[in-house]
Amino acid sequence: MTAASEKIVTPANGCIGILGGGQLGRMLAVAASNLGLKTCILAPEKNSPAFDVAAFSICADYDDGDALSAFAQAADVVTYEFENVPVDTVVSLEARGALVMPGARALAAAQDRLIEKQFIESLGAEVAPYHAVETLEDLETGLSRIGAPAILKTRRLGYDGKGQTRIKSPGGHGPDALSNTWEAAKQKAWEEIGARPSILEGFIDFSCEISIIGARGQDGQIALYDAAENHHENGILRRSAAPASAPTDSIAAAQDITAKLLSTLEYVGVVGVEFFVKKDGDVIVNEFAPRVHNSGHWTLDACPTSQFEQHIRAVAGWPLGSPERALDAQMLNILGEEATGWEGRDLEPGARLHLYGKSEVKAGRKMGHLTKVGQRKA
């Protein structure tokens, strides 16, 4: 970072602008408040959970020029809580004099799966076999090169299992097959992702999935949390446990890749990087998110500095806090109707409840999480 791009935000009157008003924005706002900092949230949804805990809020679209001007004026620095904030919004804010962290480069890379894969490969890290797909003919070429089963993903705007579909082997059966014909399965997959620019990914024979939550400060300081082991259901993260059961060498390799990613992007803030650990111990990067990450929620209850406080410290120009894990922890996402009735339940010892204040319950929607902490780390 150059001196011109550094900014120290001080308590009492300091304000962090956050693009996005979901649960991550809410928890960032709470973390900022605990440090004596105010937050201003800009989000288009009128019932955004983060509005409830922020000092200021602006309900407007991300391309609303007047709203962006007011937002840039209110905030000392700007960050974001999800990676699908339009890059044009960040560019527009910077043109209005706002300092945005992480910058547009990280956001642009994470928003496009093809650019993301190419960037990760440029770090010397391994990714799953992939093929760029612009047409049905490209899909056929990719399948002939990668083989099946495989997964077709839109290049943009995909998360929590959205924007992707599986393609089984020729003659396969299942809910993702229109019939038992290979041609029909390919055509159906192409239609399911909207016939849009995509990438085809080969499946990985892995032993477990892990993620590394890392942070980089304005001064270049890097802090890495212990690896979490992740378990998904229907494309949605269901459970994260720390420490992970992966081999020590695998975790070290994943941490090295995360640190290199942070340095290469001159990143400021918290990042989440997901990995597959192969049966031989090698690690493959699945994807990275330029923000605080669902698999790092356990840090709220098991670390002296949570990922949310760490992110606020980084973008505010403060020294990073300790990422050391003090307790074993298991985070369970609370989805849909599972969020109802907690006011009448007794929590087991060591369990800590976090509900996000969302007004509408939807099947599969992340409504909160429960963290179970265990024996203190030896």
Side-chain angles (χ1 to χ4, degrees), residues 323-359:
E324 183 178 355
R325 177 177 53 82
L327 300 168
D328 290 352
Q330 181 177 202
M331 186 282 300
L332 305 169
N333 271 329
I334 298 172
L335 306 177
E337 292 291 343
E338 297 170 359
T340 61
W342 285 97
E343 65 275 9
R345 303 185 202 180
D346 291 326
L347 296 179
E348 63 184 85
R352 303 176 186 183
L353 178 66
H354 301 265
L355 296 176
Y356 304 149
K358 295 184 177 181
S359 58

PDB file of all heavy atoms in Angstrom, residues 323-359:
ATOM      1  N   PRO A 323      -5.013 -14.077  15.876  1.00  0.00           N
ATOM      2  CA  PRO A 323      -5.928 -15.058  15.290  1.00  0.00           C
ATOM      3  C   PRO A 323      -5.881 -16.404  16.009  1.00  0.00           C
ATOM      4  O   PRO A 323      -6.519 -17.368  15.572  1.00  0.00           O
ATOM      5  CB  PRO A 323      -5.399 -15.207  13.869  1.00  0.00           C
ATOM      6  CG  PRO A 323      -3.914 -15.083  14.050  1.00  0.00           C
ATOM      7  CD  PRO A 323      -3.712 -14.078  15.167  1.00  0.00           C
ATOM      8  N   GLU A 324      -5.136 -16.485  17.108  1.00  0.00           N
ATOM      9  CA  GLU A 324      -4.936 -17.769  17.775  1.00  0.00           C
ATOM     10  C   GLU A 324      -6.266 -18.354  18.238  1.00  0.00           C
ATOM     11  O   GLU A 324      -7.115 -17.646  18.791  1.00  0.00           O
ATOM     12  CB  GLU A 324      -4.002 -17.609  18.968  1.00  0.00           C
ATOM     13  CG  GLU A 324      -3.683 -18.932  19.666  1.00  0.00           C
ATOM     14  CD  GLU A 324      -2.716 -18.757  20.820  1.00  0.00           C
ATOM     15  OE1 GLU A 324      -2.216 -17.631  21.018  1.00  0.00           O
ATOM     16  OE2 GLU A 324      -2.455 -19.751  21.519  1.00  0.00           O
ATOM     17  N   ARG A 325      -6.423 -19.644  18.023  1.00  0.00           N
ATOM     18  CA  ARG A 325      -7.636 -20.337  18.481  1.00  0.00           C
ATOM     19  C   ARG A 325      -7.464 -20.738  19.937  1.00  0.00           C
ATOM     20  O   ARG A 325      -6.562 -21.483  20.282  1.00  0.00           O
ATOM     21  CB  ARG A 325      -7.889 -21.571  17.610  1.00  0.00           C
ATOM     22  CG  ARG A 325      -9.095 -22.414  18.055  1.00  0.00           C
ATOM     23  CD  ARG A 325      -9.319 -23.586  17.102  1.00  0.00           C
ATOM     24  NE  ARG A 325      -8.131 -24.380  16.915  1.00  0.00           N
ATOM     25  CZ  ARG A 325      -7.723 -25.330  17.746  1.00  0.00           C
ATOM     26  NH1 ARG A 325      -8.420 -25.601  18.847  1.00  0.00           N
ATOM     27  NH2 ARG A 325      -6.623 -26.010  17.491  1.00  0.00           N
ATOM     28  N   ALA A 326      -8.360 -20.258  20.809  1.00  0.00           N
ATOM     29  CA  ALA A 326      -8.290 -20.577  22.228  1.00  0.00           C
ATOM     30  C   ALA A 326      -9.091 -21.825  22.577  1.00  0.00           C
ATOM     31  O   ALA A 326      -8.811 -22.485  23.581  1.00  0.00           O
ATOM     32  CB  ALA A 326      -8.810 -19.401  23.054  1.00  0.00           C
ATOM     33  N   LEU A 327     -10.099 -22.145  21.747  1.00  0.00           N
ATOM     34  CA  LEU A 327     -10.989 -23.278  22.036  1.00  0.00           C
ATOM     35  C   LEU A 327     -11.239 -24.068  20.767  1.00  0.00           C
ATOM     36  O   LEU A 327     -11.217 -23.517  19.656  1.00  0.00           O
ATOM     37  CB  LEU A 327     -12.346 -22.780  22.577  1.00  0.00           C
ATOM     38  CG  LEU A 327     -12.350 -21.964  23.872  1.00  0.00           C
ATOM     39  CD1 LEU A 327     -13.723 -21.328  24.071  1.00  0.00           C
ATOM     40  CD2 LEU A 327     -12.006 -22.858  25.052  1.00  0.00           C
ATOM     41  N   ASP A 328     -11.506 -25.361  20.911  1.00  0.00           N
ATOM     42  CA  ASP A 328     -12.051 -26.132  19.806  1.00  0.00           C
ATOM     43  C   ASP A 328     -13.468 -25.642  19.553  1.00  0.00           C
ATOM     44  O   ASP A 328     -14.186 -25.252  20.489  1.00  0.00           O
ATOM     45  CB  ASP A 328     -12.084 -27.622  20.143  1.00  0.00           C
ATOM     46  CG  ASP A 328     -10.697 -28.240  20.214  1.00  0.00           C
ATOM     47  OD1 ASP A 328      -9.719 -27.554  19.863  1.00  0.00           O
ATOM     48  OD2 ASP A 328     -10.584 -29.411  20.626  1.00  0.00           O
ATOM     49  N   ALA A 329     -13.884 -25.634  18.297  1.00  0.00           N
ATOM     50  CA  ALA A 329     -15.194 -25.076  17.984  1.00  0.00           C
ATOM     51  C   ALA A 329     -15.832 -25.793  16.805  1.00  0.00           C
ATOM     52  O   ALA A 329     -15.137 -26.263  15.898  1.00  0.00           O
ATOM     53  CB  ALA A 329     -15.082 -23.587  17.677  1.00  0.00           C
ATOM     54  N   GLN A 330     -17.155 -25.850  16.835  1.00  0.00           N
ATOM     55  CA  GLN A 330     -17.939 -26.385  15.723  1.00  0.00           C
ATOM     56  C   GLN A 330     -19.098 -25.427  15.454  1.00  0.00           C
ATOM     57  O   GLN A 330     -19.880 -25.122  16.348  1.00  0.00           O
ATOM     58  CB  GLN A 330     -18.479 -27.780  16.040  1.00  0.00           C
ATOM     59  CG  GLN A 330     -19.278 -28.377  14.916  1.00  0.00           C
ATOM     60  CD  GLN A 330     -19.751 -29.785  15.221  1.00  0.00           C
ATOM     61  OE1 GLN A 330     -20.052 -30.559  14.321  1.00  0.00           O
ATOM     62  NE2 GLN A 330     -19.843 -30.143  16.488  1.00  0.00           N
ATOM     63  N   MET A 331     -19.163 -24.912  14.230  1.00  0.00           N
ATOM     64  CA  MET A 331     -20.209 -23.984  13.838  1.00  0.00           C
ATOM     65  C   MET A 331     -21.240 -24.707  12.990  1.00  0.00           C
ATOM     66  O   MET A 331     -20.897 -25.393  12.034  1.00  0.00           O
ATOM     67  CB  MET A 331     -19.610 -22.819  13.049  1.00  0.00           C
ATOM     68  CG  MET A 331     -20.568 -21.681  12.693  1.00  0.00           C
ATOM     69  SD  MET A 331     -21.687 -21.974  11.288  1.00  0.00           S
ATOM     70  CE  MET A 331     -20.560 -22.269   9.944  1.00  0.00           C
ATOM     71  N   LEU A 332     -22.513 -24.554  13.339  1.00  0.00           N
ATOM     72  CA  LEU A 332     -23.619 -25.175  12.610  1.00  0.00           C
ATOM     73  C   LEU A 332     -24.516 -24.077  12.055  1.00  0.00           C
ATOM     74  O   LEU A 332     -25.043 -23.251  12.815  1.00  0.00           O
ATOM     75  CB  LEU A 332     -24.430 -26.093  13.533  1.00  0.00           C
ATOM     76  CG  LEU A 332     -23.649 -27.177  14.266  1.00  0.00           C
ATOM     77  CD1 LEU A 332     -24.519 -27.828  15.340  1.00  0.00           C
ATOM     78  CD2 LEU A 332     -23.168 -28.229  13.279  1.00  0.00           C
ATOM     79  N   ASN A 333     -24.715 -24.047  10.749  1.00  0.00           N
ATOM     80  CA  ASN A 333     -25.625 -23.070  10.170  1.00  0.00           C
ATOM     81  C   ASN A 333     -27.071 -23.415  10.507  1.00  0.00           C
ATOM     82  O   ASN A 333     -27.464 -24.590  10.502  1.00  0.00           O
ATOM     83  CB  ASN A 333     -25.459 -23.018   8.652  1.00  0.00           C
ATOM     84  CG  ASN A 333     -24.404 -22.024   8.217  1.00  0.00           C
ATOM     85  OD1 ASN A 333     -24.194 -21.005   8.873  1.00  0.00           O
ATOM     86  ND2 ASN A 333     -23.735 -22.296   7.113  1.00  0.00           N
ATOM     87  N   ILE A 334     -27.854 -22.395  10.813  1.00  0.00           N
ATOM     88  CA  ILE A 334     -29.285 -22.548  11.070  1.00  0.00           C
ATOM     89  C   ILE A 334     -30.016 -22.092   9.816  1.00  0.00           C
ATOM     90  O   ILE A 334     -29.933 -20.925   9.426  1.00  0.00           O
ATOM     91  CB  ILE A 334     -29.713 -21.715  12.298  1.00  0.00           C
ATOM     92  CG1 ILE A 334     -28.990 -22.212  13.546  1.00  0.00           C
ATOM     93  CG2 ILE A 334     -31.228 -21.776  12.495  1.00  0.00           C
ATOM     94  CD1 ILE A 334     -29.190 -21.324  14.769  1.00  0.00           C
ATOM     95  N   LEU A 335     -30.709 -23.012   9.172  1.00  0.00           N
ATOM     96  CA  LEU A 335     -31.310 -22.749   7.872  1.00  0.00           C
ATOM     97  C   LEU A 335     -32.837 -22.749   7.947  1.00  0.00           C
ATOM     98  O   LEU A 335     -33.440 -23.584   8.619  1.00  0.00           O
ATOM     99  CB  LEU A 335     -30.866 -23.803   6.858  1.00  0.00           C
ATOM    100  CG  LEU A 335     -29.355 -24.014   6.703  1.00  0.00           C
ATOM    101  CD1 LEU A 335     -29.074 -25.143   5.718  1.00  0.00           C
ATOM    102  CD2 LEU A 335     -28.673 -22.732   6.250  1.00  0.00           C
ATOM    103  N   GLY A 336     -33.458 -21.818   7.236  1.00  0.00           N
ATOM    104  CA  GLY A 336     -34.911 -21.809   7.085  1.00  0.00           C
ATOM    105  C   GLY A 336     -35.670 -21.870   8.390  1.00  0.00           C
ATOM    106  O   GLY A 336     -35.421 -21.120   9.335  1.00  0.00           O
ATOM    107  N   GLU A 337     -36.629 -22.796   8.442  1.00  0.00           N
ATOM    108  CA  GLU A 337     -37.507 -22.931   9.602  1.00  0.00           C
ATOM    109  C   GLU A 337     -36.780 -23.338  10.876  1.00  0.00           C
ATOM    110  O   GLU A 337     -37.343 -23.232  11.975  1.00  0.00           O
ATOM    111  CB  GLU A 337     -38.605 -23.960   9.289  1.00  0.00           C
ATOM    112  CG  GLU A 337     -39.603 -23.527   8.225  1.00  0.00           C
ATOM    113  CD  GLU A 337     -40.501 -22.387   8.694  1.00  0.00           C
ATOM    114  OE1 GLU A 337     -40.562 -22.162   9.926  1.00  0.00           O
ATOM    115  OE2 GLU A 337     -41.122 -21.737   7.846  1.00  0.00           O
ATOM    116  N   GLU A 338     -35.551 -23.799  10.761  1.00  0.00           N
ATOM    117  CA  GLU A 338     -34.773 -24.149  11.958  1.00  0.00           C
ATOM    118  C   GLU A 338     -34.556 -22.942  12.874  1.00  0.00           C
ATOM    119  O   GLU A 338     -34.220 -23.103  14.042  1.00  0.00           O
ATOM    120  CB  GLU A 338     -33.418 -24.721  11.554  1.00  0.00           C
ATOM    121  CG  GLU A 338     -33.487 -26.015  10.765  1.00  0.00           C
ATOM    122  CD  GLU A 338     -32.143 -26.414  10.170  1.00  0.00           C
ATOM    123  OE1 GLU A 338     -31.167 -25.675  10.352  1.00  0.00           O
ATOM    124  OE2 GLU A 338     -32.081 -27.476   9.507  1.00  0.00           O
ATOM    125  N   ALA A 339     -34.781 -21.748  12.331  1.00  0.00           N
ATOM    126  CA  ALA A 339     -34.538 -20.532  13.124  1.00  0.00           C
ATOM    127  C   ALA A 339     -35.675 -20.206  14.086  1.00  0.00           C
ATOM    128  O   ALA A 339     -35.525 -19.330  14.939  1.00  0.00           O
ATOM    129  CB  ALA A 339     -34.320 -19.341  12.188  1.00  0.00           C
ATOM    130  N   THR A 340     -36.802 -20.890  13.970  1.00  0.00           N
ATOM    131  CA  THR A 340     -37.944 -20.555  14.815  1.00  0.00           C
ATOM    132  C   THR A 340     -37.890 -21.311  16.142  1.00  0.00           C
ATOM    133  O   THR A 340     -37.388 -22.427  16.221  1.00  0.00           O
ATOM    134  CB  THR A 340     -39.260 -20.896  14.097  1.00  0.00           C
ATOM    135  OG1 THR A 340     -39.302 -22.313  13.820  1.00  0.00           O
ATOM    136  CG2 THR A 340     -39.369 -20.142  12.779  1.00  0.00           C
ATOM    137  N   GLY A 341     -38.386 -20.662  17.188  1.00  0.00           N
ATOM    138  CA  GLY A 341     -38.554 -21.307  18.479  1.00  0.00           C
ATOM    139  C   GLY A 341     -37.363 -21.295  19.401  1.00  0.00           C
ATOM    140  O   GLY A 341     -37.406 -21.885  20.481  1.00  0.00           O
ATOM    141  N   TRP A 342     -36.298 -20.602  19.039  1.00  0.00           N
ATOM    142  CA  TRP A 342     -35.115 -20.603  19.894  1.00  0.00           C
ATOM    143  C   TRP A 342     -35.356 -19.899  21.225  1.00  0.00           C
ATOM    144  O   TRP A 342     -34.675 -20.173  22.219  1.00  0.00           O
ATOM    145  CB  TRP A 342     -33.933 -19.954  19.173  1.00  0.00           C
ATOM    146  CG  TRP A 342     -33.328 -20.839  18.132  1.00  0.00           C
ATOM    147  CD1 TRP A 342     -33.579 -20.832  16.789  1.00  0.00           C
ATOM    148  CD2 TRP A 342     -32.390 -21.898  18.337  1.00  0.00           C
ATOM    149  NE1 TRP A 342     -32.853 -21.791  16.150  1.00  0.00           N
ATOM    150  CE2 TRP A 342     -32.110 -22.468  17.080  1.00  0.00           C
ATOM    151  CE3 TRP A 342     -31.746 -22.409  19.464  1.00  0.00           C
ATOM    152  CZ2 TRP A 342     -31.216 -23.536  16.906  1.00  0.00           C
ATOM    153  CZ3 TRP A 342     -30.851 -23.464  19.298  1.00  0.00           C
ATOM    154  CH2 TRP A 342     -30.597 -24.017  18.037  1.00  0.00           C
ATOM    155  N   GLU A 343     -36.351 -19.007  21.272  1.00  0.00           N
ATOM    156  CA  GLU A 343     -36.617 -18.290  22.514  1.00  0.00           C
ATOM    157  C   GLU A 343     -37.109 -19.218  23.622  1.00  0.00           C
ATOM    158  O   GLU A 343     -37.075 -18.863  24.802  1.00  0.00           O
ATOM    159  CB  GLU A 343     -37.646 -17.169  22.276  1.00  0.00           C
ATOM    160  CG  GLU A 343     -39.026 -17.664  21.871  1.00  0.00           C
ATOM    161  CD  GLU A 343     -39.168 -17.912  20.377  1.00  0.00           C
ATOM    162  OE1 GLU A 343     -38.154 -17.867  19.657  1.00  0.00           O
ATOM    163  OE2 GLU A 343     -40.303 -18.168  19.937  1.00  0.00           O
ATOM    164  N   GLY A 344     -37.551 -20.417  23.254  1.00  0.00           N
ATOM    165  CA  GLY A 344     -38.045 -21.359  24.254  1.00  0.00           C
ATOM    166  C   GLY A 344     -37.130 -22.532  24.518  1.00  0.00           C
ATOM    167  O   GLY A 344     -37.487 -23.460  25.251  1.00  0.00           O
ATOM    168  N   ARG A 345     -35.925 -22.503  23.932  1.00  0.00           N
ATOM    169  CA  ARG A 345     -35.019 -23.643  24.075  1.00  0.00           C
ATOM    170  C   ARG A 345     -33.889 -23.346  25.045  1.00  0.00           C
ATOM    171  O   ARG A 345     -33.391 -22.228  25.124  1.00  0.00           O
ATOM    172  CB  ARG A 345     -34.403 -24.008  22.720  1.00  0.00           C
ATOM    173  CG  ARG A 345     -35.403 -24.330  21.640  1.00  0.00           C
ATOM    174  CD  ARG A 345     -34.681 -24.799  20.402  1.00  0.00           C
ATOM    175  NE  ARG A 345     -35.506 -24.617  19.214  1.00  0.00           N
ATOM    176  CZ  ARG A 345     -35.132 -24.931  17.983  1.00  0.00           C
ATOM    177  NH1 ARG A 345     -33.919 -25.450  17.792  1.00  0.00           N
ATOM    178  NH2 ARG A 345     -35.927 -24.722  16.961  1.00  0.00           N
ATOM    179  N   ASP A 346     -33.496 -24.373  25.774  1.00  0.00           N
ATOM    180  CA  ASP A 346     -32.310 -24.285  26.621  1.00  0.00           C
ATOM    181  C   ASP A 346     -31.098 -24.709  25.790  1.00  0.00           C
ATOM    182  O   ASP A 346     -31.127 -25.758  25.128  1.00  0.00           O
ATOM    183  CB  ASP A 346     -32.437 -25.205  27.843  1.00  0.00           C
ATOM    184  CG  ASP A 346     -33.506 -24.731  28.820  1.00  0.00           C
ATOM    185  OD1 ASP A 346     -33.662 -23.501  28.936  1.00  0.00           O
ATOM    186  OD2 ASP A 346     -34.167 -25.578  29.435  1.00  0.00           O
ATOM    187  N   LEU A 347     -30.055 -23.915  25.825  1.00  0.00           N
ATOM    188  CA  LEU A 347     -28.837 -24.262  25.105  1.00  0.00           C
ATOM    189  C   LEU A 347     -27.963 -25.166  25.957  1.00  0.00           C
ATOM    190  O   LEU A 347     -27.861 -24.980  27.170  1.00  0.00           O
ATOM    191  CB  LEU A 347     -28.053 -23.002  24.740  1.00  0.00           C
ATOM    192  CG  LEU A 347     -28.722 -22.023  23.765  1.00  0.00           C
ATOM    193  CD1 LEU A 347     -27.808 -20.823  23.538  1.00  0.00           C
ATOM    194  CD2 LEU A 347     -29.049 -22.699  22.449  1.00  0.00           C
ATOM    195  N   GLU A 348     -27.333 -26.121  25.315  1.00  0.00           N
ATOM    196  CA  GLU A 348     -26.417 -27.000  26.030  1.00  0.00           C
ATOM    197  C   GLU A 348     -25.173 -26.221  26.440  1.00  0.00           C
ATOM    198  O   GLU A 348     -24.835 -25.185  25.830  1.00  0.00           O
ATOM    199  CB  GLU A 348     -26.035 -28.193  25.154  1.00  0.00           C
ATOM    200  CG  GLU A 348     -25.286 -27.817  23.882  1.00  0.00           C
ATOM    201  CD  GLU A 348     -25.025 -29.017  23.000  1.00  0.00           C
ATOM    202  OE1 GLU A 348     -25.907 -29.380  22.202  1.00  0.00           O
ATOM    203  OE2 GLU A 348     -23.918 -29.582  23.121  1.00  0.00           O
ATOM    204  N   PRO A 349     -24.479 -26.658  27.466  1.00  0.00           N
ATOM    205  CA  PRO A 349     -23.255 -25.955  27.887  1.00  0.00           C
ATOM    206  C   PRO A 349     -22.266 -25.838  26.733  1.00  0.00           C
ATOM    207  O   PRO A 349     -22.035 -26.797  25.991  1.00  0.00           O
ATOM    208  CB  PRO A 349     -22.704 -26.856  29.003  1.00  0.00           C
ATOM    209  CG  PRO A 349     -23.913 -27.556  29.541  1.00  0.00           C
ATOM    210  CD  PRO A 349     -24.803 -27.793  28.353  1.00  0.00           C
ATOM    211  N   GLY A 350     -21.694 -24.676  26.578  1.00  0.00           N
ATOM    212  CA  GLY A 350     -20.727 -24.451  25.518  1.00  0.00           C
ATOM    213  C   GLY A 350     -21.326 -24.054  24.188  1.00  0.00           C
ATOM    214  O   GLY A 350     -20.592 -23.807  23.230  1.00  0.00           O
ATOM    215  N   ALA A 351     -22.661 -23.975  24.094  1.00  0.00           N
ATOM    216  CA  ALA A 351     -23.314 -23.595  22.836  1.00  0.00           C
ATOM    217  C   ALA A 351     -23.661 -22.107  22.860  1.00  0.00           C
ATOM    218  O   ALA A 351     -24.155 -21.587  23.863  1.00  0.00           O
ATOM    219  CB  ALA A 351     -24.575 -24.420  22.633  1.00  0.00           C
ATOM    220  N   ARG A 352     -23.403 -21.442  21.764  1.00  0.00           N
ATOM    221  CA  ARG A 352     -23.636 -20.007  21.670  1.00  0.00           C
ATOM    222  C   ARG A 352     -24.434 -19.705  20.405  1.00  0.00           C
ATOM    223  O   ARG A 352     -24.032 -20.083  19.300  1.00  0.00           O
ATOM    224  CB  ARG A 352     -22.308 -19.255  21.681  1.00  0.00           C
ATOM    225  CG  ARG A 352     -21.505 -19.582  22.941  1.00  0.00           C
ATOM    226  CD  ARG A 352     -20.142 -18.955  22.980  1.00  0.00           C
ATOM    227  NE  ARG A 352     -19.399 -19.441  24.145  1.00  0.00           N
ATOM    228  CZ  ARG A 352     -18.183 -19.032  24.476  1.00  0.00           C
ATOM    229  NH1 ARG A 352     -17.569 -18.119  23.746  1.00  0.00           N
ATOM    230  NH2 ARG A 352     -17.583 -19.525  25.543  1.00  0.00           N
ATOM    231  N   LEU A 353     -25.553 -19.026  20.583  1.00  0.00           N
ATOM    232  CA  LEU A 353     -26.508 -18.793  19.505  1.00  0.00           C
ATOM    233  C   LEU A 353     -26.309 -17.421  18.879  1.00  0.00           C
ATOM    234  O   LEU A 353     -26.148 -16.429  19.575  1.00  0.00           O
ATOM    235  CB  LEU A 353     -27.933 -18.906  20.060  1.00  0.00           C
ATOM    236  CG  LEU A 353     -29.089 -18.645  19.091  1.00  0.00           C
ATOM    237  CD1 LEU A 353     -29.136 -19.709  18.004  1.00  0.00           C
ATOM    238  CD2 LEU A 353     -30.417 -18.599  19.866  1.00  0.00           C
ATOM    239  N   HIS A 354     -26.353 -17.390  17.534  1.00  0.00           N
ATOM    240  CA  HIS A 354     -26.290 -16.130  16.789  1.00  0.00           C
ATOM    241  C   HIS A 354     -27.410 -16.149  15.750  1.00  0.00           C
ATOM    242  O   HIS A 354     -27.376 -16.925  14.799  1.00  0.00           O
ATOM    243  CB  HIS A 354     -24.946 -15.989  16.070  1.00  0.00           C
ATOM    244  CG  HIS A 354     -23.757 -16.015  16.980  1.00  0.00           C
ATOM    245  ND1 HIS A 354     -23.163 -14.875  17.464  1.00  0.00           N
ATOM    246  CD2 HIS A 354     -23.061 -17.062  17.508  1.00  0.00           C
ATOM    247  CE1 HIS A 354     -22.142 -15.206  18.240  1.00  0.00           C
ATOM    248  NE2 HIS A 354     -22.053 -16.528  18.280  1.00  0.00           N
ATOM    249  N   LEU A 355     -28.441 -15.316  15.946  1.00  0.00           N
ATOM    250  CA  LEU A 355     -29.516 -15.175  14.968  1.00  0.00           C
ATOM    251  C   LEU A 355     -29.360 -13.836  14.259  1.00  0.00           C
ATOM    252  O   LEU A 355     -28.940 -12.852  14.859  1.00  0.00           O
ATOM    253  CB  LEU A 355     -30.885 -15.280  15.647  1.00  0.00           C
ATOM    254  CG  LEU A 355     -31.196 -16.634  16.297  1.00  0.00           C
ATOM    255  CD1 LEU A 355     -32.543 -16.587  17.016  1.00  0.00           C
ATOM    256  CD2 LEU A 355     -31.195 -17.764  15.263  1.00  0.00           C
ATOM    257  N   TYR A 356     -29.732 -13.806  12.971  1.00  0.00           N
ATOM    258  CA  TYR A 356     -29.399 -12.671  12.131  1.00  0.00           C
ATOM    259  C   TYR A 356     -30.504 -11.633  11.983  1.00  0.00           C
ATOM    260  O   TYR A 356     -30.307 -10.619  11.303  1.00  0.00           O
ATOM    261  CB  TYR A 356     -28.984 -13.164  10.741  1.00  0.00           C
ATOM    262  CG  TYR A 356     -27.842 -14.153  10.748  1.00  0.00           C
ATOM    263  CD1 TYR A 356     -27.754 -15.146   9.779  1.00  0.00           C
ATOM    264  CD2 TYR A 356     -26.844 -14.098  11.725  1.00  0.00           C
ATOM    265  CE1 TYR A 356     -26.708 -16.051   9.763  1.00  0.00           C
ATOM    266  CE2 TYR A 356     -25.793 -15.008  11.732  1.00  0.00           C
ATOM    267  CZ  TYR A 356     -25.737 -15.989  10.746  1.00  0.00           C
ATOM    268  OH  TYR A 356     -24.699 -16.887  10.749  1.00  0.00           O
ATOM    269  N   GLY A 357     -31.663 -11.864  12.576  1.00  0.00           N
ATOM    270  CA  GLY A 357     -32.730 -10.876  12.523  1.00  0.00           C
ATOM    271  C   GLY A 357     -33.378 -10.738  11.160  1.00  0.00           C
ATOM    272  O   GLY A 357     -33.921  -9.680  10.829  1.00  0.00           O
ATOM    273  N   LYS A 358     -33.358 -11.788  10.362  1.00  0.00           N
ATOM    274  CA  LYS A 358     -33.998 -11.729   9.047  1.00  0.00           C
ATOM    275  C   LYS A 358     -35.509 -11.845   9.198  1.00  0.00           C
ATOM    276  O   LYS A 358     -36.006 -12.691   9.940  1.00  0.00           O
ATOM    277  CB  LYS A 358     -33.453 -12.832   8.140  1.00  0.00           C
ATOM    278  CG  LYS A 358     -31.977 -12.658   7.813  1.00  0.00           C
ATOM    279  CD  LYS A 358     -31.471 -13.708   6.832  1.00  0.00           C
ATOM    280  CE  LYS A 358     -30.015 -13.450   6.481  1.00  0.00           C
ATOM    281  NZ  LYS A 358     -29.483 -14.438   5.520  1.00  0.00           N
ATOM    282  N   SER A 359     -36.226 -11.007   8.473  1.00  0.00           N
ATOM    283  CA  SER A 359     -37.673 -10.925   8.644  1.00  0.00           C
ATOM    284  C   SER A 359     -38.432 -12.012   7.895  1.00  0.00           C
ATOM    285  O   SER A 359     -39.575 -12.319   8.235  1.00  0.00           O
ATOM    286  CB  SER A 359     -38.182  -9.553   8.184  1.00  0.00           C
ATOM    287  OG  SER A 359     -37.836  -9.319   6.816  1.00  0.00           O
TER     288      SER A 359
END
